[in-house]
Every structure is written in C-alpha cells, then in structure tokens.
Amino acid sequence: MTPVLIDCDPGIDDTLALIYLAALHHLGEIEIVGVTTTAGNTTATQAAGNARWVLDLLLIDAPVLPGRPGPRHVELTTTPETHGPTGLGYLEVPAAPEGPEGEWAAVWEGGVDKHPDLKLIVTGPLTNLAAFRHSHPEHYARLRRVTVMGGAVNYRGNTTPTAEWNFWVDPHAAAEVFGDPPAAGIRLCSLEVTEQFLIDPARLTRLVQDLGGTPIAGELADVLRFYFEFHHAQGEGYQAQIHDLLTCMIALGTVPYEDLSTTIAVEADSPLMRGTSVADLRGHWHRSHNARLVTAADIDAAHAELTRATRTLAARWPVR
Ligand code: BDR
Ligand code: CA
C-alpha cells in the first residue's frame, strides 16, 4: 500500500483530489498518512477546515493540520473569486483552529521516518515544502517521491501572462525548492498539462451518480457550480480545470503520462515576472537537472480512473 502525504489548499480541484485519494485509501491501494495545508486558494486554517470536512464525510481519520500561515517574503494573496469565499465554492464550513507551531512539520517528519517510500503530493503553493527544507534538512533530503502541481512552464500563465497561481502566490518558495530540490528531484505537473483535465456539468452529473450513497455526493453540485461560473467568466467555457486531481493520478501512476528530465528555474523578485517558471530544454544553462517535467497525460484514462475509483468506493459504502 503506497503511503501518501498531501499538502494542499482546498480549493475546489484540491477537494476532488482528496475525494479520489480517500477512495483509493478505502480500496486499500494507498494509505493517507496525513494532510497538511498551505495558504493559497484560501487561508491555511480554512483549507484545513475544508480538508477535514471532506475527510470526515468520507470516514478518513488521517491527521489534517494547517501549515505555515503564508509566504515568508511576500504578503499572502488568496483567491475567493476562483474558489468561493472560503474555498469550497458556494459551501462554507468552519476553519480549523491554528495548530501548535510546527505540528504539521512533525507529521512530515514522522511520515519520512516511518515510510521510506512515502509519496508527497503538493497541490498548493510550495510554502510548506520550502519551510521543511529549512527546518528539517535531513528529512527533506530523504524525500524520494515528490510531485508538485505548479508553474506554467514555458507556457502562458493563469495568474499573470507568464505565471501559474501556486508559483505566483509564493514565488520565493518555488524558486528555493527548484534551486535546491530534494535529492531525488521533483516531478512537476505544470498548467499546460493539468488544465486539460476538465469537468463539465454532464461529467459532474455522472460523478455524483458514481459516488452513489457516499455523503460527499450530495455536496458536490454547490462546490463545482462556483468553479464552472469562474471558468465561464474567464472565457473558458462553463466547465472547470481539475489540476490537482490529475496531479494525484500522475503522482500515483494511475494514469499514463510522459515526462522528461530537465532543469527548472522560477523567478521570484521581478514584479512583472513573479512566479514565472522556465525549463531549460536545450541545456543552455549547463546546470544539473532538478525535475521531471510532465509533458503529456492521457486525459481519457484520467476520467476512466476517476470513474473506477468512485464507483468502486460507492459499491463498498459504508466502508467501516
Ligand atoms: C492551481 O491553483 C489553484 O487555484 C488550484 O487549486 C491549482 O492547484 C492551478 O493553477
Ligand atoms: Ca490547489
């Protein structure tokens, strides 16, 4: 069973990622070791409240802890216009209390100690990952399987002309992490690939049916409607890009994908280029490779995988 730690900022697509991971956990395919949250789509404490709500509905009792309250070098910006006033679209649930300082990092530390094959999936800003590098350098070096959703690598951005949201919110964290990645490097799922995974109202209807009697099924319409409306207002159609769920499938190898080894760098300080990420695909920089950049994913297979996981979960519900 693959041990998984997810660091996220739910967030609507993070919520779908958590539902998928919860399904795999109940199917005995992974073990959710813990969930920590970053400030990004909403605050870290609200994101933790949202994650706890999802996991409670799906009967997962893994620890959920808010991580750092915001970036170290720039002010926190959240995005209620994208994910709703508190990150769950038209739904609102209470924020989690602030945990004792560093409690989240103890979950990461314990995960690394207990599970040498731990998979860490980051679907929010890289604030906690960069902080862990400072506070726990030895454990950071032992992270072997890290997958990140972030960056619009050599591609147009969704936040500025060149920057993707997760990297833009905390550009210094992203720059640091790619400046000195864990020994095994990072698998990076950039916007160019993740934005291809779309859910529209027809797919949502099928997803709700597939989730059957699971209590989360009845909540999803209010969550997703906000995200559909946001994408529609952006001129992207009445549908939603589900970046973080596709990232989880790539991290777990449950969907076919292609990647390549390269050198990524992130700009932190330039006001216009904040959060811009570049891959040196032709080796101009003569720097060692620090990432595997995902260049394609089988989107039809991703939809089929979501169907498989949710239908199987529903068929076994209640799971206790
Ligand atoms: C990323 O930004 C957030 O809004 C989403 O949750 C996703 O992680 C996409 O740019
Ligand atoms: Ca996210």
Side-chain angles (χ1 to χ4, degrees):
M1 215 188 324
T2 306
V4 173
L5 181 60
I6 179 162
D7 185 49
C8 54
D9 62 339
I12 296 172
D13 54 332
D14 305 77
T15 294
L16 290 173
L18 289 172
I19 293 170
Y20 174 67
L21 294 180
L24 297 197
H25 179 103
H26 284 305
L27 304 186
E29 297 174 19
I30 67 166
E31 178 193 356
I32 302 177
V33 169
V35 178
T36 56
T37 57
T38 42
N41 291 330
T42 184
T43 62
T45 49
Q46 183 63 58
N50 296 348
R52 184 72 273 163
W53 175 80
V54 174
L55 295 193
D56 282 351
L57 279 180
L58 290 169
L59 305 179
I60 302 278
D61 61 8
V64 176
L65 290 161
R68 289 200 44 79
R72 273 174 66 197
H73 301 287
V74 290
E75 262 184 42
L76 173 63
T77 310
T78 59
T79 184
E81 64 280 6
T82 309
H83 292 267
T86 60
L88 285 178
Y90 286 108
L91 259 179
E92 292 194 29
V93 305
E98 286 198 23
E101 175 72 27
E103 201 180 2
W104 67 271
V107 172
W108 286 38
E109 181 185 355
V112 173
D113 279 340
K114 195 166 165 205
H115 306 283
D117 54 343
L118 181 75
K119 288 198 171 180
L120 171 65
I121 307 174
V122 179
T123 63
L126 277 60
T127 309
N128 293 339
L129 188 56
F132 192 67
R133 175 178 160 268
H134 282 288
S135 63
H136 293 72
E138 287 169 17
H139 287 82
Y140 181 81
R142 282 159 55 200
L143 287 169
R144 290 276 167 264
R145 297 172 176 85
V146 181
T147 303
V148 168
M149 189 284 128
V153 177
N154 301 359
Y155 189 61
R156 58 162 172 72
N158 62 359
T159 304
T160 71
T162 56
E164 178 277 336
W165 172 255
N166 287 341
F167 280 17
W168 184 87
V169 168
D170 195 343
H172 299 87
E176 263 182 48
V177 162
F178 286 95
D180 182 14
I186 290 176
R187 183 184 292 109
L188 183 61
C189 302
S190 139
L191 190 68
E192 185 172 6
V193 172
T194 62
E195 72 176 13
Q196 296 171 29
F197 190 39
L198 296 164
I199 289 193
D200 62 11
R203 285 200 186 275
L204 174 62
T205 301
R206 283 203 291 279
L207 174 61
V208 170
Q209 281 166 0
D210 290 341
L211 282 165
T214 59
I216 196 89
E219 309 286 352
L220 282 186
D222 282 344
V223 177
L224 265 296
R225 187 160 41 90
F226 196 99
Y227 216 24
F228 292 156
E229 289 169 1
F230 166 76
H231 285 83
H232 189 243
Q234 298 292 307
E236 286 160 1
Y238 196 78
Q239 55 187 350
Q241 300 166 353
I242 312 297
H243 314 273
D244 298 342
L245 172 55
L246 184 66
T247 298
C248 288
M249 291 178 179
I250 290 168
L252 298 173
T254 53
V255 68
Y257 66 91
E258 292 168 21
D259 64 3
L260 52 79
S261 178
T262 187
T263 310
I264 305 273
V266 181
E267 171 57 41
D269 290 313
S270 145
L272 280 184
M273 305 298 277
R274 166 178 170 170
T276 299
S277 50
V278 173
D280 180 15
L281 297 177
R282 292 196 175 162
H284 293 289
W285 291 333
H286 304 291
R287 291 170 65 184
S288 26
H289 290 183
N290 58 10
R292 295 204 66 88
L293 176 65
V294 175
T295 54
D298 185 336
I299 300 299
D300 289 341
H303 285 295
E305 168 60 7
L306 180 60
T307 301
R308 177 195 74 89
T310 48
R311 279 191 188 164
T312 318
L313 176 69
R316 294 192 193 172
W317 197 268
V319 289
R320 270 203 213 281

